[in-house]
Amino acid sequence: MAVNVAALPEGLLESELFGHARGAFTGAVRERSGRFEEAEGGTIFLDEVAEVPASVQVRLLRVLQAREVVRVGENKPRPVDARVVAATNRDIEAEVAAGRFREDLYYRLNVVRVHLPPLRERREDLRAS
């Protein structure tokens, strides 16, 4: 399950990731599960995770720590079991140092780090035409 978090407006991001209850906001005409629930037993890929607003970072951290989500407009936690893979094109450590990305969330996500240098630094990976 792939989610480009940078492509979603902040108001929609919480509902998209965590789901929502019927009537939670204007237009929420039915209950909806979020991407974490839909990824149950699998993997959720959070692309451009450094773009997640601070208000959503808190909720994302809660999901990683407690392995449960609370849908927007509900109080009842729902268990989730999904592997999380995250990527960003920003220097995430600089974002943490600048206070734009939560340090505790960074450490929860940074279990196995894969650094892929840009192609300009890997000329041998370019096919000659």
Side-chain angles (χ1 to χ4, degrees):
M1 171 83 47
V3 183
N4 183 341
V5 297
L8 297 168
E10 183 175 349
L12 184 59
L13 183 58
E14 282 187 272
S15 174
E16 192 66 27
L17 290 177
F18 313 120
H20 64 259
R22 181 176 183 254
F25 51 85
T26 304
V29 294
R30 64 177 180 83
E31 182 177 281
R32 182 178 180 281
S33 60
R35 297 291 181 100
F36 275 95
E37 287 179 86
E38 292 173 11
E40 180 68 28
T43 303
I44 184 167
F45 173 58
L46 302 175
D47 195 13
E48 298 302 340
V49 73
E51 304 292 330
V52 172
S55 61
V56 180
Q57 288 180 31
V58 173
R59 293 195 65 189
L60 182 55
L61 178 62
R62 174 84 178 139
V63 171
L64 297 175
Q65 288 176 330
R67 297 193 151 296
E68 61 188 23
V69 296
V70 177
R71 290 180 179 175
V72 175
E74 287 186 354
N75 294 320
K76 183 182 102 181
R78 297 168 183 265
V80 292
D81 178 25
R83 177 185 310 113
V84 177
V85 175
T88 185
N89 66 352
R90 290 190 183 184
D91 180 346
I92 194 80
E93 290 171 342
E95 296 295 310
V96 169
R100 291 185 292 267
F101 197 84
R102 293 181 60 100
E103 185 174 18
D104 48 0
L105 178 56
Y106 167 71
Y107 284 110
R108 285 281 179 184
L109 291 171
N110 193 28
V111 176
V112 175
R113 186 174 186 164
V114 177
H115 176 72
L116 184 61
L119 278 173
R120 68 179 169 273
E121 295 175 16
R122 302 179 289 127
R123 298 264 182 219
E124 66 279 2
D125 288 349
L126 294 173
R127 184 174 41 185
S129 35

